[in-house]
Amino acid sequence: EQYPANIELLLKRGKLCLNLGRSQEAGHDFQKVLFMDDVNVDAYLGLAIKSGCDGDMKDSFDYFAKAIALDERNAKAYMLRGKFYYEGIGDFEGALADYGRAEELAAPEQMPELLANMMQTGKNFSVYYPEGWAETEALANRLLNLPDLPQMYRGRAYFTRMNAHEAMGDYRMA
């Protein structure tokens, strides 16, 4: 058989295929998981991301809705949908609502990724709406204040905070 019958392996391979830009293969893996376990939230999230990457926003949001209906307390589902609200359809308010819900539900180990996504969305928004830089800087500071913050997030936060200071004309702090 071409696909192994191991759900965790299929999910990992599907995510890897997405990262490599092989969305059709990722979709097959996520569908195979759903054939074996039709209530697997991670498979629905994978299909949501796959659909969004393929430009099919309607299917993407339908898959997000299925994942959230299966687990209304899944912080990652809200975080990912929030990211797609902004990056996929330019809905900043929808993104903020989902990020807010994700923040309410997130476990401490999920906070770096969540705050980094919120910060990036704020940074993208602030390029067009400069009044958003203060909030973006606040998100960068919150990220930097997390204990045991991985270096990859620390660098992004410092860089974003520098961008915020430059945009607000505070070159002394930049």
Side-chain angles (χ1 to χ4, degrees), residues 1-18:
E1 178 179 73
Q2 181 179 1
Y3 294 104
N6 180 316
I7 287 176
E8 290 304 313
L9 179 62
L10 286 166
L11 289 170
K12 286 179 183 178
R13 188 170 67 182
K15 291 173 187 175
L16 176 64
C17 286
L18 280 177

Side-chain angles (χ1 to χ4, degrees), residues 120-156:
Q120 186 62 46
T121 298
K123 182 179 173 182
N124 293 345
F125 178 79
S126 299
V127 168
Y128 302 103
Y129 301 97
E131 64 274 11
W133 279 113
E135 178 64 24
T136 302
E137 178 190 21
L139 287 167
N141 287 331
R142 284 182 61 201
L143 186 59
L144 288 168
N145 286 325
L146 290 177
D148 303 319
L149 182 67
Q151 186 61 39
M152 65 182 255
Y153 293 116
R154 187 171 303 284
R156 287 172 58 190

